[in-house]
Amino acid sequence: MPYVNIKITKEGATADQKAALIKGVTDLLVTVLNKNPATTFVVIDEVEMEHWGIGGLPVEEYRKKLKAEKS
Amino acid sequence: MPYVNIKITKEGATADQKAALIKGVTDLLVTVLNKNPATTFVVIDEVEMEHWGIGGLPVEEYRKKLKAEKS
Amino acid sequence: MPYVNIKITKEGATADQKAALIKGVTDLLVTVLNKNPATTFVVIDEVEMEHWGIGGLPVEEYRKKLKAEKS
Amino acid sequence: MPYVNIKITKEGATADQKAALIKGVTDLLVTVLNKNPATTFVVIDEVEMEHWGIGGLPVEEYRKKLKAEKS
Amino acid sequence: MPYVNIKITKEGATADQKAALIKGVTDLLVTVLNKNPATTFVVIDEVEMEHWGIGGLPVEEYRKKLKAEKS
Amino acid sequence: MPYVNIKITKEGATADQKAALIKGVTDLLVTVLNKNPATTFVVIDEVEMEHWGIGGLPVEEYRKKLKAEKS
């Protein structure tokens, strides 16, 4: 009876990729814990880039900063 | 001081139905646990159909599959 | 296919009260949105008092403060 | 390795305000618990007004009611 | 930068099984969306049986009911 | 009316540190968005080390691996 919530930044995941996440996570729970797929929920949240922070910055600024540091 | 999160698939719930969920859940917490409505939060998330998986499939495909099996 | 998460402070809710929450929320989703109970999940989290904050304070201190202000 | 989720009603927070929340929460976790910012995630959810309930009512109706009671 | 939360009922999953869930979900996000494992979090919640409801009942009662209906 | 959930690994945060998180996050929401502390909830979850994954591994194994790579 698992419930899985996957949060990713919104940057172009396709319907096929989302379906692959749903299938992959469900298969994993069947394989590892013998769960019943019919009562396994997977909910995907796509989070706007400006709503996701890492390193104290919105994710796009964080990536720019990392890039600048490397170059 | 309860916090309740209700996740439903996005398929046309009206503002009145959402208000009924908010009222119903709050009343329930008052009745069962004597909670104070003024500090009871209810947050509703409407989840896109392609973001909700069950049985290893996005929900619309899952419903089609169930229907096909029954007929 | 709803998923409901109820968070309450841990202060002695009984198994019967929890069962009443599960039944009440599920009935509400059936009544208001015609949802199928067999695919309606309700997950209850009991949160330790020192882990729940309101008004900038852990809940027990907040209640004491309110009480002191009233008296 | 903290994960922080901030839910606010959707009523016009700017990108700068959201960035200030991300920075402020991350700094707090560094200061209080010595966490590493590079593995500190902050996810902000803006919740539609009609999806947020308090006092058994959607938030806008609740505010109107409070205002009416005070006047 | 994904964040994944897996909720399962608490009924004896081993540390190895939990590690397999963490590895499996992370690999899936790498394969499907080319995500960086170093910034992929997986958080598992084991939920007490009496805190998980389905079909309007705590999960153990629900399973008994299903079993009784089948026999 | 914000709701904030802070998830940290369970490794000895004290009651004072948790109170500092509650106060700090609430003050931040007052300062940045002019929110009312009396309707600002902060919920802290302490997650068992074996329940938190990063880099495809439970966090303790991940830290050991990072350390081994550095030395």
Side-chain angles (χ1 to χ4, degrees), chain D residues 1-9 11 13 17-18 20-21 24-25 28-29 32-33 35 39 52 54 59 63, chain F residues 1-9 11 13 17 20-21 24-25 28-29 32-33 35 39 52 54 59 63:
Chain D
M1 218 151 323
Y3 169 82
V4 181
N5 179 227
I6 301 174
K7 288 185 200 297
I8 52 173
T9 40
E11 35 190 332
Q17 288 173 319
K18 290 169 196 171
L21 291 180
V25 169
L28 184 71
L29 284 154
V32 176
L33 291 175
K35 293 295 183 184
T39 50
W52 196 300
I54 175 169
V59 63
R63 288 179 185 165
Chain F
M1 219 151 321
Y3 169 82
V4 181
N5 179 227
I6 301 175
K7 286 185 200 297
I8 51 174
T9 41
E11 35 189 332
Q17 288 174 319
L21 291 180
V25 169
L28 183 71
L29 284 154
V32 176
L33 291 176
K35 294 294 182 185
T39 48
W52 196 300
I54 175 170
V59 63
R63 288 179 185 166

Side-chain angles (χ1 to χ4, degrees), chain A residues 1-3 5 7 52 59, chain E residues 1-3 5 7 32 52 59:
Chain A
M1 216 152 323
Y3 169 82
N5 179 227
K7 288 186 200 296
W52 196 299
V59 63
Chain E
M1 216 152 324
Y3 170 81
N5 179 227
K7 287 185 200 297
V32 176
W52 196 299
V59 62

Side-chain angles (χ1 to χ4, degrees), chain B residues 13-68:
Chain B
T14 64
D16 279 356
Q17 288 174 320
K18 290 168 195 171
L21 291 180
I22 288 169
K23 185 173 183 335
V25 169
T26 307
D27 287 352
L28 184 71
L29 284 154
V30 172
T31 308
V32 176
L33 291 175
N34 199 27
K35 295 293 183 184
N36 178 2
T39 49
T40 297
F41 290 180
V42 181
V43 172
I44 298 169
D45 290 323
E46 285 189 305
V47 178
E48 298 290 339
M49 301 290 271
E50 78 176 31
H51 288 179
W52 196 298
I54 175 170
L57 293 170
V59 63
E60 283 182 303
E61 288 184 45
Y62 183 70
R63 287 179 185 166
K64 274 184 213 160
K65 194 187 136 201
L66 279 192
K67 223 172 175 175

Side-chain angles (χ1 to χ4, degrees), chain A residues 4-49:
Chain A
V4 180
N5 179 227
I6 301 174
K7 288 186 200 296
I8 52 174
T9 40
K10 187 168 189 167
E11 35 189 332
T14 64
D16 279 357
Q17 287 174 320
K18 291 169 195 170
L21 292 180
I22 289 169
K23 185 173 184 333
V25 169
T26 307
D27 287 352
L28 184 70
L29 284 154
V30 172
T31 308
V32 175
L33 291 175
N34 199 27
K35 294 293 184 185
N36 179 1
T39 51
T40 297
F41 290 180
V42 181
V43 172
I44 299 169
D45 289 324
E46 284 188 305
V47 178
E48 299 290 338
M49 301 290 272

